[in-house]
Amino acid sequence: MPASKNSQVYLVGGGVASLAAAAFLVRDAGVPGENVHILEQLPIVGGSMDGAPAPTAEGGYVTRGGRMFEEEHYVCLWNLLETIPTLDDPAISVRQEMLAFNIEHPTNAKARIINGDRTIADASRLGLDARDRVDMTRLLALPERVIGARRIDDFFQPHFFATNFWCMWRTTFAFQTWHSAIELKRYFLAFVQEFDRIHTLSGVRRSKYNQYDSVIRPIQEWLIARGVRTEFGVTVADIDFSDATARRVFRLRLERDGAEAGTIELGEDDYAFLTIGSMTADTTYGDRSTVPELIRDKRDGSWRLWEAIAKKAPDFGRPTTFCGNIDETKWESFTLTMTGRTLLDRIQEYTGNVPGEGALMTWKDSRWLLSVVVPAQPHFRDQQEDTYTLWGYSLFGDVPGDHVPKKMDDCTGAEILDELLGHLGFDDIADEVRATTKVTTVQMPYIDAQFQRRTVADRPLVVPDGAENFAFLGQFVEIPEDVVFTVEYSVRAAMLAVYHHFGVDKEIPTMYHGLSDPKIAWSALRTAFA
């Protein structure tokens, strides 16, 4: 039976999945906004989609990462954003703003790969040989139940991992060789249309500002205007289910500042949508003179909640599959805040790309596998005049650098900047850049957790079989055929949960796969297999 419009709905977690669910509850299910409650342990919503002043003594700006959007596959996200107005003009939707911005700032990377001698590689030469293509075909042909919990490097020879294709694919999406082969297959199927544009990243769609300013804030303001409120500083530590089969939630157990803080009792018509796990749990920050701590003991409540409820039913997933090996799931990013355009102008001269056009550039031979993005400026709504930003990350933080003989995980922000300057080779401006640049470093123990090797039972369904008044949200639920580490995944989960429980009589957008479009599939496969 569909839920009542008088139901109280509790959304655990304030990330984009919960915000999307709240929007769908109000927009499509007709639930009054004042009946929708978001419970967030942090003092801000948005989850992993962030962008803010750096929380360090040095100051500057920081984003932990940047979600790259894509036109064809992100159908649920576009469905949401086409009804959310921008902060600047209520007559223009976030979707319209993004379309206009990408027409004005098209992505066309001219320096996607940098060689060890600092020359720009011809990244259009993917480098795949006959064996690589056979292995890709085999992976695409095998059903997931056969692939199971095998690693990516179980399916490919060493040559594949030395190709330009793999360098670009892995750094665009943050894959490691030990990650799930199932997830790589899903990415190939979902983004096959990117095969013949992976060297320019022309299929990437960017927001006008960072995703917090351009996406999260407009959604939040839209929700607030309709009565939805967020309670900050509250952690849902455990959940009580009504019986041994755990098919109905009746109580949320709360904590504040690490102490018990009462409960929320759910009535017969009430619902709970629970975000489980977190890619950015236990994030820490450093600056030019400090090193961010690598937290290993789950101080954030996101994983502890899933571990608590996973014990209550066999189909609630296995969180330790994803949060049990930090050395396989971590990486570090950094944001430069620069006074003056010196570095950006020199990068533009070197690459031929203006800020916002080049997307990701990767030093293929660097020990850290260093990549940077120069976004269109300003990248923050309140960015100060004559201030500019650059973002970068590395997949290999536990090996010494090429120009700084230390592991990235052990480096200060100043040392990471030195490593970047060493790869760029801009010796004549290095001292000026160091003197005018603030560095914010970000250590994220679980940022790649969603790619860990898994079996079907390791992730719960959005709506477990027989679940009467609850659903799971976020990057660690199971949506058959869809791809994690995307905003689309979180928004689709939210739509599935709301439409199911509230009987919404609207069609959920069909999941896009490039292989189902003959023109797209032929062009992409010709590029990869020619």
Side-chain angles (χ1 to χ4, degrees), residues 13 48 69 114 144 160 202 289 378 445 454:
S48 301
F69 306 125
I114 311 298
E144 291 185 3
F160 175 78
S202 60
S289 60
R454 61 176 180 79

Side-chain angles (χ1 to χ4, degrees), residues 350-405:
Y350 174 51
T351 63
N353 285 129
V354 299
E357 181 185 45
L360 209 63
M361 51 188 293
T362 297
W363 283 267
K364 183 182 178 183
D365 300 320
S366 68
R367 293 176 182 174
W368 290 355
L369 194 56
L370 178 67
S371 299
V372 299
V373 177
V374 181
Q377 304 293 315
H379 193 51
F380 298 81
R381 284 183 63 89
D382 63 349
Q383 192 165 314
Q384 298 175 3
E385 188 175 354
D386 200 33
T387 298
Y388 306 91
T389 63
L390 175 153
W391 179 86
Y393 90 112
S394 296
L395 282 174
F396 303 140
D398 51 4
V399 295
D402 296 282
H403 303 277
V404 176

Side-chain angles (χ1 to χ4, degrees), residues 77-345:
L77 176 65
W78 303 142
N79 177 284
L80 170 63
L81 296 185
E82 67 188 9
T83 56
I84 302 295
T86 62
L87 297 180
D88 296 321
D89 188 343
I92 298 176
S93 72
V94 173
R95 168 68 166 147
Q96 290 171 321
E97 178 185 72
M98 205 174 295
L99 286 170
F101 179 79
N102 283 277
I103 291 173
E104 184 179 353
H105 299 273
T107 302
N108 181 30
K110 299 174 183 176
R112 180 63 186 87
I113 295 178
I114 311 298
N115 295 317
D117 61 1
R118 302 193 182 106
T119 59
I120 297 172
D122 180 2
S124 67
R125 300 176 64 88
L126 301 185
L128 298 168
D129 65 14
R131 177 58 187 268
D132 298 329
R133 297 179 183 115
V134 168
D135 291 340
M136 289 175 71
T137 303
R138 174 172 172 255
L139 178 62
L140 288 169
L142 284 176
E144 291 185 3
R145 59 180 172 77
V146 175
I147 297 173
R150 282 187 283 177
R151 301 159 48 120
I152 292 172
D153 56 11
D154 288 334
F155 284 84
F156 295 94
Q157 300 300 307
H159 179 271
F160 175 78
F161 300 112
T163 62
N164 284 346
F165 174 82
W166 174 245
C167 175
M168 291 185 287
W169 197 269
R170 78 176 315 177
T171 52
T172 299
F173 301 114
F175 275 111
Q176 300 280 22
T177 56
W178 55 79
H179 283 155
S180 166
I182 288 177
E183 299 301 342
L184 181 63
K185 173 185 174 176
R186 288 192 181 190
Y187 263 76
F188 283 166
L189 291 173
F191 298 123
V192 66
Q193 63 273 15
E194 302 303 327
F195 278 22
D196 59 359
R197 58 196 191 198
I198 189 69
H199 63 293
T200 64
L201 291 173
S202 60
V204 168
R205 298 294 178 264
R206 296 280 187 183
S207 53
K208 181 177 180 179
Y209 302 110
N210 63 80
Q211 284 89 50
Y212 177 77
D213 284 334
S214 285
V215 178
I216 297 301
R217 283 188 59 194
I219 297 174
Q220 183 185 24
E221 292 300 318
W222 188 90
L223 292 172
I224 290 173
R226 284 151 183 79
V228 177
R229 294 292 182 268
T230 301
E231 188 173 355
F232 295 106
V234 58
T235 298
V236 178
D238 202 353
I239 295 172
D240 292 337
F241 294 84
S242 59
D243 52 47
T245 62
R247 299 299 98 170
R248 184 173 186 82
V249 170
F250 75 93
R251 181 182 295 120
L252 309 180
R253 296 184 178 273
L254 311 181
E255 289 182 356
R256 290 182 184 275
D257 299 323
E260 292 183 8
T263 63
I264 294 176
E265 307 292 326
L266 274 65
E268 291 184 2
D269 293 328
D270 297 342
Y271 286 76
F273 292 173
L274 320 169
T275 299
I276 54 173
S278 171
M279 298 184 298
T280 48
D282 289 331
T283 292
T284 56
Y285 299 90
D287 57 23
R288 285 179 55 86
S289 60
T290 62
V291 178
E293 178 187 6
L294 177 59
I295 295 175
R296 295 178 178 273
D297 56 354
K298 296 193 183 80
R299 300 172 197 173
D300 184 291
S302 305
W303 290 104
R304 289 186 284 114
L305 173 63
W306 189 11
E307 288 175 335
I309 62 179
K311 301 173 184 177
K312 303 183 181 186
D315 59 343
F316 285 3
R318 303 183 181 118
T320 54
T321 298
F322 306 99
C323 66
N325 191 339
I326 286 173
D327 291 320
E328 288 190 350
T329 60
K330 66 176 176 65
W331 45 259
E332 187 173 356
S333 72
F334 57 93
T335 303
L336 306 186
T337 303
M338 298 160 283
T339 303
R341 294 186 56 95
T342 300
L343 181 58
L344 265 58
D345 286 344

Side-chain angles (χ1 to χ4, degrees), residues 288 337-340 342 431-438:
R288 285 179 55 86
T337 303
M338 298 160 283
T339 303
T342 300
D431 289 341
E432 178 186 349
V433 171
R434 292 187 184 100
T436 58
T437 300
K438 298 175 181 177

